[in-house]
């Protein structure tokens, strides 16, 4: 028993470490970002409340019979509203002292008097308190997992007109009380459907695991539930690329965990060295970190220098002296990214094989040299795409066969560096030009981006902008209701026959 307890104590630190995998990508939404979301969300709530469906109200009081139908919301005033972070509960949406204007159809029978028409009413002192709980679902996507709602109406007034106005005013208590109850009962179900169905359909547009190009994909699944403070909401994403030929491959994360301390901008996105390393590792595993130049694609000046450098070898291979040259640059190990406050760099080790390719004969290798390069990386954000611009900073070639051959290759150092800068780097930057999407919902973009380097990670601070309204995106992805559901939810047309009252 004691041995088992000691073993558990020894394994406990490992279990804790395993349960808290460091994120490759981290997103922080600040209170300033939440204010923008509130403005757009308030418009969405107004639109949802305007579509409230209130059941028909009918009854009788002595010789008075009434039927109220076709209730429609004509106007809303939601001037006093707040959307706040709240630890443990995540998001609190509070509306105070709102007003809702209504218009509905009346059918009244009093003794032998039958009257139809419309009534204008207003609900004042409307209070709505909603709590949204955010969580990670099974697919690793952010979802609204639960919602609690309380709604109340302090006062309700109805304006009557017509020949039976005095009668209406006498019996308005019954009608207004019933309408007040029915309306208050419909507010929370409407907001619940808006949150758990419609807003979750918006969150479904956030990329979780998708392909970047024909070679690699990226996993943006959440590692854990959101972390919420009074001022921020933090999301930890896996942020791992994978080769499409081996989609189940996992690359262990040993990088520094990004730490975001800033709160000045609406949103911050942090990327660790692991994020970039996994991308380069995936390309390496996919076998695409190879570039081949042959014949006319080899710069003429470099070809002349190479033929002069290897003249003795080429001469001994006569009559193949005029055979085309082929240069094959192949990365020998996954490149590694280093992020420092001074900048971001990428270290690359590769082999450069130089061969002659005589017609109808096997290639003849002239040299195989090792290369070590260091590239400077400029990381920037454009729209929702994270892009990288690479530039050659350091370059060294040497021979693994002998020091004498390394010395002979020294004259090729400058020309090959020029080859890399003018020929190879444009090819690489063209591949990275597309970039990779950051996990934001459709219709939401970044503006005023600022990139800041730290030790082991970098952050992108930005403000948010809605290029599409919530309603526009939600309508695009709204679940299509079935015919049965539509017919059951559609209010029945009221009868104009007094005998039906």
């Amino acid at each position: 028993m004691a041995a088992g307890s000691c073993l558990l104590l020894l394994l406990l630190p490992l279990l804790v470490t395993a349960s808290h995998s460091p994120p490759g990508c981290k997103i922080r939404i600040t209170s300033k970002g939440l204010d923008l979301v509130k403005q757009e969300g308030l418009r969405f709530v107004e639109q949802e409340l305007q579509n409230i469906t209130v059941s028909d109200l009918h009854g009788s009081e002595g010789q008075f019979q009434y039927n109220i139908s076709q209730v429609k919301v004509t106007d809303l005033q939601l001037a006093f509203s707040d959307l706040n972070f709240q630890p443990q509960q995540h998001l609190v949406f509070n509306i105070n002292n709102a007003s809702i204007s209504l218009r509905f159809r009346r059918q009244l029978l009093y003794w032998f008097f039958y009257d139809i028409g419309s009534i204008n009413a207003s609900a004042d002192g409307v209070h709505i308190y909603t709590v949204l709980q955010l969580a990670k679902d099974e697919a690793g996507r952010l979802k609204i997992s639960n919602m609690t709602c309380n709604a109340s109406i302090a006062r309700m007034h109805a304006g009557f007109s017509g020949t039976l106005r005095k009668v209406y005013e006498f019996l308005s208590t019954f009608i207004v009380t019933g309408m007040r109850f029915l309306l208050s009962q419909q507010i929370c179900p409407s907001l619940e459907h808006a949150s758990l169905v419609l807003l979750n359909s918006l969150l479904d547009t956030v990329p979780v695991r998708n392909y970047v190009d024909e070679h690699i994909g990226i996993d943006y699944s959440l590692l854990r539930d959101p972390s919420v403070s009074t001022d921020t909401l933090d999301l930890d994403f896996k942020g791992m690329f994978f080769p499409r030929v081996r989609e189940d491959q996992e690359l262990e994360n040993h990088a520094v965990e990004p730490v975001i301390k800033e709160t000045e901008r609406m949103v911050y996105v942090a990327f660790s060295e692991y994020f970039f390393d996994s991308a380069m590792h995936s390309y390496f595993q996919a076998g695409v970190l190879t570039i081949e130049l042959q014949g006319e694609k080899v710069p003429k000046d470099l070809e002349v220098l190479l033929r002069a450098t290897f003249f003795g070898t080429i001469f001994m291979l006569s009559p193949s002296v005029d055979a085309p040259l082929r240069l094959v640059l192949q990365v020998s190990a996954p490149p590694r990214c280093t992020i420092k406050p001074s900048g971001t760099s990428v270290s690359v080790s590769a082999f450069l094989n130089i061969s002659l390719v005589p017609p109808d004969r096997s290639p003849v290798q002239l040299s195989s040299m090792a290369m070590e390069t260091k590239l400077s990386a400029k990381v920037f954000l454009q729209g929702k795409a994270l892009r990288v611009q690479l530039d050659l900073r350091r370059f060294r070639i040497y021979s693994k066969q002998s020091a004498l051959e390394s010395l002979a290759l020294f004259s090729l150092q400058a020309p090959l560096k020029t080859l890399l800068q003018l020929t190879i780097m444009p090819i690489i930057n063209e591949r990275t030009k597309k970039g990779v999407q950051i996990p934001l919902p459709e219709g939401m973009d970044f503006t005023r981006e600022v990139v800041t380097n730290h030790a082991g990670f970098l952050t992108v601070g930005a403000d948010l902008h809605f290029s599409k309204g919530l309603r526009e995106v939600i309508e695009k992805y709204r679940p299509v209701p079935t015919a049965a559901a539509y017919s059951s939810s559609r209010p029945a047309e009221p009868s104009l026959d007094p005998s039906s009252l």
Side-chain angles (χ1 to χ4, degrees), residues 319-341:
S320 303
V321 176
D322 294 330
L325 281 175
R326 181 173 68 185
L327 278 63
V328 178
L329 179 63
Q330 183 174 8
V331 175
S332 56
R336 297 298 302 271
C337 174
T338 302
I339 303 176
K340 297 180 180 180

Side-chain angles (χ1 to χ4, degrees), residues 408-433:
L409 295 174
F410 184 77
S411 60
L412 295 176
Q413 186 93 11
L416 286 177
K417 184 176 182 180
T418 302
L419 170 71
L420 288 176
Q421 288 175 324
L422 299 181
T423 306
I424 306 300
M425 293 309 300
I427 296 175
I428 296 174
N429 283 322
E430 184 63 28
R431 290 182 178 179
T432 62
K433 185 178 180 179

Side-chain angles (χ1 to χ4, degrees), residues 7 38 237 354 384:
L7 180 61
K38 184 190 81 170
F237 296 93
I354 304 175
K384 280 191 293 191

Side-chain angles (χ1 to χ4, degrees), residues 397-410:
I397 58 172
Y398 60 93
S399 172
K400 288 191 174 183
Q401 298 176 2
S402 68
L404 183 61
E405 187 173 359
S406 295
L407 184 62
L409 295 174
F410 184 77

Side-chain angles (χ1 to χ4, degrees), residues 254-329:
H254 298 290
V256 174
E257 179 172 350
V259 178
I260 303 176
K261 297 181 179 180
E262 299 89 349
T263 58
E264 290 79 14
R265 295 296 186 94
M266 293 183 181
V267 64
Y268 289 88
V269 188
F271 303 93
S272 74
E273 292 174 344
Y274 172 81
F275 180 86
F276 301 100
D277 284 346
S278 67
M280 294 181 289
H281 187 274
S282 297
Y283 276 123
F284 181 79
Q285 291 291 321
V288 296
L289 296 186
T290 301
I291 296 177
E292 180 177 317
L293 301 177
Q294 182 174 324
E296 295 180 355
K297 292 185 179 180
V298 179
K300 197 65 181 177
D301 293 343
L302 179 62
E303 181 182 1
V304 171
L305 182 62
L306 288 175
R307 288 183 181 276
T309 303
F310 298 105
F311 180 78
T313 305
I314 295 175
F315 183 77
M316 296 298 293
L317 293 172
S318 180
S320 303
V321 176
D322 294 330
L325 281 175
R326 181 173 68 185
L327 278 63
V328 178
L329 179 63

Side-chain angles (χ1 to χ4, degrees), residues 4 28 31 52 57 65 79-80 111 129 146 161 182 214 232 270 319 348-349 478:
R28 163 170 289 183
S31 296
I52 284 179
L57 178 66
Q65 300 177 58
F80 304 100
W111 289 98
Y129 184 82
N146 192 25
S161 61
L182 291 176
E214 64 270 25
T232 60
V348 184
S349 297
R478 178 192 287 268

Side-chain angles (χ1 to χ4, degrees), residues 84-281:
N84 299 308
F85 294 123
Q86 191 171 92
Q88 305 304 320
Q89 294 181 314
H90 300 158
L91 287 179
V92 174
F93 186 53
N94 192 21
I95 297 176
N96 283 309
N97 202 26
S99 64
I100 303 176
S101 298
L102 305 169
R103 186 178 181 85
F104 47 88
R105 181 183 177 85
R106 70 175 187 261
Q107 288 178 287
L108 305 172
L109 181 63
Y110 184 68
W111 289 98
F112 300 107
F113 296 97
Y114 176 64
D115 184 51
I116 62 173
S118 60
I119 300 176
N120 294 321
S122 64
D124 300 321
V126 180
H127 175 66
I128 306 172
Y129 184 82
T130 306
V131 177
L132 301 178
Q133 293 185 351
L134 303 176
K136 174 181 77 73
D137 69 4
E138 293 182 358
R141 178 177 273 112
L142 179 66
K143 283 296 181 71
I144 300 173
S145 60
N146 192 25
M147 172 189 167
T148 57
C149 175
N150 291 305
S152 62
I153 300 174
R155 300 170 303 278
M156 191 160 187
H157 308 281
F160 299 95
S161 61
T163 57
L164 299 180
R165 182 171 59 86
K166 293 296 182 181
V167 178
Y168 301 157
E169 291 176 353
F170 173 72
L171 297 170
S172 64
T173 302
F174 301 102
I175 298 175
V176 169
T177 301
M179 287 302 302
R180 176 183 171 190
F181 173 77
L182 291 176
L183 180 61
S184 63
Q185 291 299 304
Q186 291 301 316
I187 291 176
C188 284
S190 177
L191 294 182
E192 183 176 355
H193 177 264
S195 301
L196 299 181
V197 177
L198 301 184
L199 288 181
N200 274 338
S201 70
L202 174 70
L203 293 175
D204 282 338
T205 66
V206 177
V208 172
R209 187 178 177 91
N210 62 327
Y211 295 140
V212 176
D213 53 30
E214 64 270 25
H215 305 296
I216 68 171
I218 187 168
D219 188 336
Y220 271 132
S221 57
L222 282 170
L223 295 174
R224 54 193 64 90
D225 289 340
S227 174
V228 183
S229 71
T230 55
D231 299 314
T232 60
L233 183 148
D234 289 342
L235 301 167
D236 290 347
F237 296 93
K238 193 171 188 178
M240 184 198 77
F241 292 83
F242 56 87
R244 293 181 60 170
V245 293
R246 296 175 58 189
E247 293 194 14
D248 58 343
Q249 177 176 287
E250 291 280 339
L251 182 64
E252 195 170 350
N253 188 351
H254 298 290
V256 174
E257 179 172 350
V259 178
I260 303 176
K261 297 181 179 180
E262 299 89 349
T263 58
E264 290 79 14
R265 295 296 186 94
M266 293 183 181
V267 64
Y268 289 88
V269 188
F271 303 93
S272 74
E273 292 174 344
Y274 172 81
F275 180 86
F276 301 100
D277 284 346
S278 67
M280 294 181 289
H281 187 274

